Amino acid sequence: MKHHINFKVNGDDYSLAVDPWRTLNEVIREDLNLTGTKLGCGTGDCGACTVLLDGRSVSSCLTLAVSVNGKSVMTVEGLAPSGEELHPIQEALIQTGGIQCGFCTAGMEMSALNLLNQTLSPSETEIKSALSGNLCRCTGYNQIVEAISMAADKMRDNAAEKEEQ
Amino acid sequence: MTAASIKEKQSLIGTSVPRIGVDGKLNGKALFSNDVAPKNSLWVKALRSELAHAKIESIDIKDALNTPGCVAILTAQDIPGNNSFGIINKDQPLLAGSKVRFVGDPVALAVAISEDVAELALSKIHVTYTELASIFDPEESLAPGSPFIHEKGNLLGKRLIKKGAPELAFEKADVIIERTYQTTCLEHAYLEPDAGYAYFDSDGKIVIYASTQNPHYDQADVASLLGLEADRVRIIQTNTGGGFGSKLDLNTQGFLGLACYLLKKPVRMVFSREEAFLCTSKRHPLKIKYKSAASKDGRLLAIDVKIMGDTGAYASYGLAVVSRSAIHATGPYEVPNVSIESVFAYTNNPIAGAMRGFGVPQVAFAHESQMDLLAEALGVSPLEIRRRNALRLGSTTATKQELTASVGIQTCIEAIAPHYEAIRNKTNSKDSKKLKGVGLGCMMYGIGNTGTQNPSTAQVELQSNGGIVLYSGAADIGQGSSTVLIQIVATELGVGAEKITLVNADTGLTTSAGATSASRQTYISGNAALDAARKLKEAILTEAATMLKANRKKLYMKNGNVLDSSGVDSSVSFEQIANKAKREGRPLKWQGFFDPDTTPLDPETGQGKPYATFAFAAQIAEVEVDILTAEVTVKKIIAAHDVGKAINPESVKGQIYGGAAMGLGFALMEEFIPGKTVSLKDYHIPTFSDMPPVECLIIEEPEPTGPFGAKGVGEPALIPTAPAILNAIADALGSRIYSLPANLERVMKAIHSGASKMKFRLNQ
Ligand code: FES
Ligand code: FES
């Protein structure tokens, strides 16, 4: 029997009937056609499917769609919705060269955002441990670490500026 | 300002132009292979053998066909063309007909309205097998009386290399070191599992979108499977989430082509991670018996190397690994007397194919361990012995190829030397529980395919609006070849990178650039693109000379205009030139071609010129070994790479960083155990916390035949890392590990053996 769920994705409201065994990953990708969220393993081991659920990062491949009823999901498509201005995390990833094939990138961005939602001055160790569930086979990680700390600096400066105004 | 200095100023060569396509990867809009299929596509799933070696007696598909929503069940009988494919040897059936040869061999396909239904239908296919004796060891496979895996027998191939008189040299040697090294089966673990989508276009062509390194090869093999002319199949590469060699094979493409062709419907397929683990190609496990001889003064006199490789059930790229591992067995050293034999056998293990380095990472582990052992026996430093033996201009390789240019190994060694000495001077106290060690790893790597033609083609076109289009068959799989090709063409034509539109890796719109493998795209496809750009440039200048009534020699290009450097204030734009040429019927699209200068190897002696150029590298790894837990922490990697010319330095560094990570995995943790390894839970690749800082030292010994002097770096990046780490562990413990990976168990053994040699105290 299908279950009815209401939830938000990147600020938009959705109301869907879903089979109880379907994952959030499948629903986002196949039903909502938001294919920016990837499926790298389906077993919670790679982090490519990371999204934010009520502001906290989760593996969408392990999250049942029915469990997000009433909740708010953010995917990579919601990071810089206007498409014109890049999010500081995106800017920094370009600057440091932390993207090669790009398949891990969406998951990296969401895990990074999860961390930066909690602190804007993460140490290198904190970055590495916050992203320990995200695998990348191309970059060797260091440029991604650098990008996240660069983004944190920028976001801290932005926040300080806002306060001054 | 002279034309030359203007060109210099406008050059994009050596600048880190941002990669094309990053925006889509950042905002989620870039489409990968599992993102392209429309909703009405049918799903294709493969039934795979659970037996390693068995005769197929019958396949009963009745029940499966009755599954509601199942559209078709396809078996070998349904394949209209030649049911065998493979990049070098065509020995692999798309669907097993008479027998299965490894756990994972596909026997049938279900095509259904959803993935779930396809899976359900698969579970209702009844295959009756008669089990055959299986072989999992290559030596056993070649032993007399072993059951045949393929009709032609179990030998995949053999490569012999002979130079000088090794027996005599061994007799005269001051030291001889003989050891056996063993490496293991590895999984590429690219992050994007294979997927694709196929449909019939309005011209009746089968169009296949796929995650691939090799679109033009895919096209030929899919067409042959279907019994069609190649131009009835079009392959379009989607964004590809890493490949590292495994996406050179037909993974989903053949299944998609078959289902689409027979059902005349759009179809899609995606491998689960388990499936990608089970049935895509692996790195060849090699057993390397290595004997080296040296003189008192630390010069290599001879080597005798026997390599035994396990190619698994089908050949894939195995034959390339047979030769390449043999040719590279000397390492980047001049060895006057050589005897090398490389023999690979079929077994019932997973298919081993191309994986970043084609056998060279395995042999580098052996030759670099040997160098350290020789140094120790002779009482010279590991650095010094490498200095004395490293190839230089005029040296000859094992295949008697004389190196006449761009031999950067000495420069790489000198670049890391001060870092090495500085780290080496740190000492361990006898009571320390964390022992530090430092190790060196050097390598050479022949760019492009081995001793065979491997051309690339490209076209560069001037459009009526003055824009430039570059057509190249080269698949960018994340390493950045597209950006490099654009930089080359933009520089030649004196325009910004943004002025170049790239059309690539689509067999309907581009001609073949060959595979994205063997670190060949910068050198070979870069040259093809440059050749096309040069021809277009000639045409533009000729056109401009008439239009400006100027001396052609005085003309130069800048920002899409041709200007006169003789002081006359006149110019004409690319747009004007294009329009005039078009009106008058002169061509604006020019063809470029490049095939590296190689010769085939002699079958008996292995002599020949297998590669037109070689990349070189030297790396240092600094490690710390916890002697209580056996945990190895890599503290730092310093990597010097001779790339000829770094066209895009950030991309070169990106390759080195990523290569070092893969090398670290190879050294310490990665091991694919057939039958046991099924997911990323069992197969560990390096994570954020495993990676130390990596310092890149880019060395540029220009290659005269390379585009702007460039060679390649994709595979070289990974090769020296594992040897450097293993040498560092040996340095820390005074005891060496000969089998990879250096996992906890092996390190613990080495700790005990080091302690028993009184190198350090293990207990309080
Ligand atoms: S796809 Fe969810 S963790 Fe890998
Ligand atoms: S960039 Fe390819 S997996 Fe991270």
Side-chain angles (χ1 to χ4, degrees):
Chain A
M1 204 189 71
K2 289 196 195 246
H3 291 238
H4 210 90
I5 55 170
N6 295 303
F7 64 124
K8 270 189 200 304
V9 179
N10 302 328
D12 296 335
D13 289 311
Y14 290 92
S15 173
L16 296 176
V18 296
D19 287 316
W21 57 82
R22 294 185 76 208
T23 63
L24 177 60
N25 185 273
E26 199 184 335
V27 168
I28 297 172
R29 289 180 44 83
E30 299 291 334
D31 298 10
L32 309 186
N33 212 16
L34 294 171
T35 54
T37 301
K38 299 302 176 201
L39 184 70
C41 66
T43 49
D45 298 307
C46 78
C49 65
T50 308
V51 298
L52 298 192
L53 187 58
D54 286 345
R56 303 296 304 258
S57 62
V58 295
S59 296
S60 65
C61 73
L62 295 182
T63 306
L64 287 176
V66 288
S67 74
V68 307
N69 190 24
K71 297 190 178 166
S72 168
V73 177
M74 180 178 170
T75 70
V76 65
E77 287 91 347
L79 201 53
S82 78
E84 274 149 38
E85 222 174 283
L86 293 174
H87 189 278
I89 295 175
Q90 298 175 320
E91 239 168 60
L93 277 167
I94 294 182
Q95 252 174 330
T96 63
I99 312 167
Q100 288 188 29
C101 80
F103 197 79
C104 68
T105 307
M108 293 286 175
E109 290 171 90
M110 300 320 282
S111 292
L113 186 62
N114 180 52
L115 170 69
L116 300 183
N117 279 345
Q118 291 158 46
T119 168
L120 286 181
S121 12
S123 67
E124 194 183 309
T125 323
E126 280 171 320
I127 296 175
K128 288 186 168 188
S129 96
L131 275 84
S132 62
N134 290 78
L135 296 179
C136 173
R137 191 58 154 167
C138 303
T139 66
Y141 302 105
N142 290 337
Q143 294 152 298
I144 301 176
V145 176
E146 208 186 307
I148 295 171
S149 88
M150 195 184 266
D153 291 346
K154 171 103 189 268
M155 286 164 77
R156 224 174 33 238
D157 289 352
N158 288 353
E161 243 168 59
K162 246 193 201 156
E163 223 153 78
E164 265 168 38
Q165 283 164 9
Chain B
M1 210 185 276
T2 66
S5 69
I6 291 163
K7 183 174 162 199
E8 194 59 29
K9 225 178 131 194
Q10 286 200 321
S11 176
L12 292 172
I13 304 302
T15 59
S16 295
V17 170
R19 280 165 181 254
I20 64 158
V22 284
D23 285 0
K25 290 173 177 177
L26 283 164
N27 61 26
K29 299 228 165 71
L31 297 178
F32 287 77
S33 60
N34 194 27
D35 303 335
V36 284
K39 288 230 176 355
N40 63 350
S41 317
L42 295 171
W43 287 79
V44 181
K45 282 257 149 199
L47 178 69
R48 296 179 180 277
S49 162
E50 286 171 13
L51 300 174
H53 199 195
K55 193 161 170 276
I56 299 174
E57 301 294 352
S58 64
I59 304 177
D60 179 355
I61 63 170
K62 267 194 309 309
D63 288 352
L65 271 177
N66 286 333
T67 313
C70 174
V71 177
I73 301 290
L74 307 176
T75 65
Q77 293 174 6
D78 299 305
I79 295 171
N82 185 6
N83 185 16
S84 60
F85 70 94
I87 184 93
I88 302 174
N89 313 55
K90 307 258 177 240
D91 65 358
Q92 185 171 354
L94 182 70
L95 292 169
S98 54
K99 67 172 186 169
V100 291
R101 295 181 177 85
F102 78 107
V103 174
D105 223 350
V107 292
L109 296 178
V111 189
I113 54 166
S114 75
E115 198 174 15
D116 294 347
V117 173
E119 255 162 33
L120 183 64
L122 287 184
S123 71
K124 297 184 189 171
I125 299 175
H126 311 292
V127 186
T128 314
Y129 294 104
T130 303
E131 223 175 321
L132 302 168
S134 315
I135 311 167
F136 301 105
D137 178 86
E139 273 157 311
E140 225 176 83
S141 167
L142 294 177
S146 274
F148 275 16
I149 294 169
H150 289 273
E151 266 168 33
K152 60 164 190 175
N154 293 348
L155 177 71
L156 170 73
K158 188 174 185 168
R159 168 64 65 200
L160 299 173
I161 301 178
K162 305 269 176 226
K163 177 186 177 190
E167 298 81 7
L168 277 179
F170 276 107
E171 271 168 31
K172 288 201 215 126
D174 294 312
V175 322
I176 293 178
I177 298 283
E178 189 172 0
R179 296 285 191 281
T180 300
Y181 301 85
Q182 179 71 54
T183 70
T184 186
C185 188
L186 297 187
E187 159 63 26
H188 301 67
Y190 39 75
L191 220 58
E192 179 204 30
D194 301 85
Y197 157 63
Y199 72 100
F200 262 103
D201 73 5
S202 49
D203 300 334
K205 268 189 197 175
I206 300 170
V207 182
I208 303 174
Y209 285 87
S211 183
T212 178
Q213 297 177 238
N214 212 354
H216 285 84
Y217 154 73
D218 296 349
Q219 178 190 31
D221 256 5
V222 171
S224 141
L225 285 162
L226 301 181
L228 299 174
E229 292 297 318
D231 66 1
R232 295 280 312 281
V233 176
R234 175 177 175 191
I235 307 282
I236 302 174
Q237 185 215 7
T238 60
N239 278 294
T240 296
F244 311 112
S246 196
K247 289 178 182 171
L248 291 163
D249 299 310
L250 280 192
N251 291 339
T252 63
Q253 298 89 318
F255 299 135
L256 287 165
L258 179 69
C260 175
Y261 178 70
L262 294 177
L263 301 171
K264 310 273 177 284
K265 294 243 168 65
V267 294
R268 69 187 288 194
M269 182 173 204
V270 56
F271 282 5
S272 66
R273 178 57 66 183
E274 288 71 17
E275 202 171 12
F277 266 62
L278 190 64
C279 53
T280 62
S281 67
K282 305 283 169 277
R283 185 184 290 288
H284 287 83
L286 299 189
K287 181 174 180 180
I288 304 160
K289 286 193 182 157
Y290 206 121
K291 188 167 140 192
S292 320
S295 61
K296 279 200 294 293
D297 62 352
R299 305 233 172 242
L300 284 169
L301 298 174
I303 60 166
D304 184 326
V305 184
K306 296 212 167 22
I307 301 169
M308 173 60 69
D310 175 0
T311 210
Y314 299 105
S316 177
Y317 261 94
L319 218 44
V321 182
V322 176
S323 285
R324 194 180 276 271
S325 59
I327 294 163
H328 290 76
T330 55
Y333 308 110
E334 179 145 29
V335 190
N337 303 288
V338 168
S339 169
I340 301 167
E341 179 192 278
S342 177
V343 176
F344 282 36
Y346 290 104
T347 65
N348 297 112
N349 280 322
I351 305 158
M355 182 168 177
R356 206 174 189 177
F358 285 100
V360 184
Q362 294 96 309
V363 293
F365 163 51
H367 65 64
E368 288 308 275
S369 299
Q370 289 288 108
M371 288 308 271
D372 271 24
L373 287 162
L374 285 170
E376 196 185 332
L378 290 163
V380 297
S381 89
L383 191 64
E384 194 46 41
I385 195 164
R386 287 173 171 82
R387 263 187 191 131
R388 286 184 201 169
N389 292 287
L391 295 162
R392 54 199 82 218
L393 280 179
S395 294
T396 56
T397 64
T399 71
K400 288 200 193 147
Q401 173 173 357
E402 192 187 338
L403 301 177
T404 53
S406 192
V407 187
I409 184 63
Q410 296 280 358
T411 325
C412 289
I413 293 174
E414 290 321 317
I416 58 165
H419 301 270
Y420 180 74
E421 301 291 5
I423 304 172
R424 209 159 186 246
N425 287 334
K426 295 182 202 157
T427 47
N428 290 310
S429 89
K430 268 230 157 194
D431 291 314
S432 170
K433 294 295 168 244
K434 288 193 177 181
L435 301 182
K436 285 190 192 321
V438 57
L440 286 174
C442 294
M443 72 105 225
M444 69 166 181
Y445 189 82
I447 302 296
N449 299 2
T450 305
T452 160
Q453 291 187 319
N454 62 129
S456 179
T457 57
Q459 294 81 32
V460 177
E461 181 177 26
L462 177 64
Q463 294 186 305
S464 333
N465 64 3
I468 310 282
V469 185
L470 163 63
Y471 300 87
S472 165
D476 190 333
I477 56 170
Q479 85 284 25
S481 57
S482 291
T483 312
V484 164
L485 296 180
I486 287 174
Q487 284 177 260
I488 289 172
V489 171
T491 299
E492 190 57 24
L493 296 175
V495 296
E498 70 291 343
K499 285 277 162 17
I500 312 280
T501 307
L502 175 71
V503 176
N504 77 313
D506 174 344
T507 66
L509 301 174
T510 64
T511 53
S512 178
T516 296
S517 71
S519 304
R520 60 185 288 289
Q521 292 300 19
T522 296
Y523 177 62
I524 300 177
S525 292
N527 264 330
L530 183 59
D531 183 38
R534 279 192 181 136
K535 288 174 184 158
L536 175 62
K537 182 177 176 178
E538 284 305 307
I540 291 175
L541 289 177
T542 307
E543 214 65 64
T546 335
M547 291 169 83
L548 294 174
K549 299 193 176 51
N551 178 350
R552 197 176 168 295
K553 290 211 175 75
K554 292 276 159 75
L555 298 180
Y556 65 94
M557 293 170 153
K558 192 178 173 186
N559 297 335
N561 295 294
V562 179
L563 296 98
D564 192 338
S565 65
S566 59
V568 190
D569 189 15
S570 62
S571 76
V572 57
S573 71
F574 280 13
E575 186 174 346
Q576 292 167 307
I577 293 171
N579 285 315
K580 178 156 187 283
K582 207 171 172 187
R583 262 198 318 275
E584 296 168 13
R586 279 186 295 279
L588 289 168
K589 188 171 180 182
W590 291 83
Q591 170 89 12
F593 176 86
F594 183 75
D595 191 14
D597 176 21
T598 63
T599 62
L601 301 186
D602 180 274
E604 299 302 321
T605 65
Q607 301 304 308
K609 185 182 180 188
Y611 311 105
T613 185
F614 293 86
F616 298 93
Q619 293 190 4
I620 304 173
E622 186 187 352
V623 305
E624 195 172 82
V625 186
D626 184 323
I627 57 170
L628 299 179
T629 64
E631 198 179 332
V632 178
T633 310
V634 181
K635 305 297 265 182
K636 184 161 193 160
I637 291 170
I638 300 169
H641 282 259
D642 168 24
V643 300
K645 172 79 198 172
I647 291 181
N648 187 316
E650 279 307 322
S651 282
V652 167
K653 285 187 195 161
Q655 287 301 295
I656 295 172
Y657 295 140
M662 211 176 248
L664 186 145
F666 180 41
L668 298 179
M669 60 188 83
E670 294 184 32
E671 178 166 28
F672 185 93
I673 307 171
K676 290 213 176 113
T677 310
V678 295
S679 75
L680 286 165
K681 283 200 210 316
D682 321 303
Y683 191 85
H684 296 148
I685 64 171
T687 65
F688 272 94
S689 51
D690 296 310
M691 275 316 286
V694 179
E695 191 179 327
C696 298
L697 307 168
I698 297 180
I699 308 295
E700 300 183 316
E701 294 280 349
E703 165 54 48
T705 64
F708 299 97
K711 302 192 279 193
V713 72
E715 290 157 296
L718 139 94
I719 295 166
T721 309
I725 292 173
L726 268 290
N727 283 339
I729 296 173
D731 179 53
L733 300 178
S735 166
R736 186 166 285 277
I737 295 170
Y738 297 96
S739 295
L740 292 183
N743 53 22
L744 288 185
E745 197 185 315
R746 291 191 177 119
V747 175
M748 194 45 100
K749 251 196 182 156
I751 290 169
H752 283 282
S753 127
S756 69
K757 288 190 224 155
M758 306 299 288
K759 299 283 182 188
F760 50 87
R761 276 194 291 268
L762 195 50
N763 301 313
Q764 293 311 316

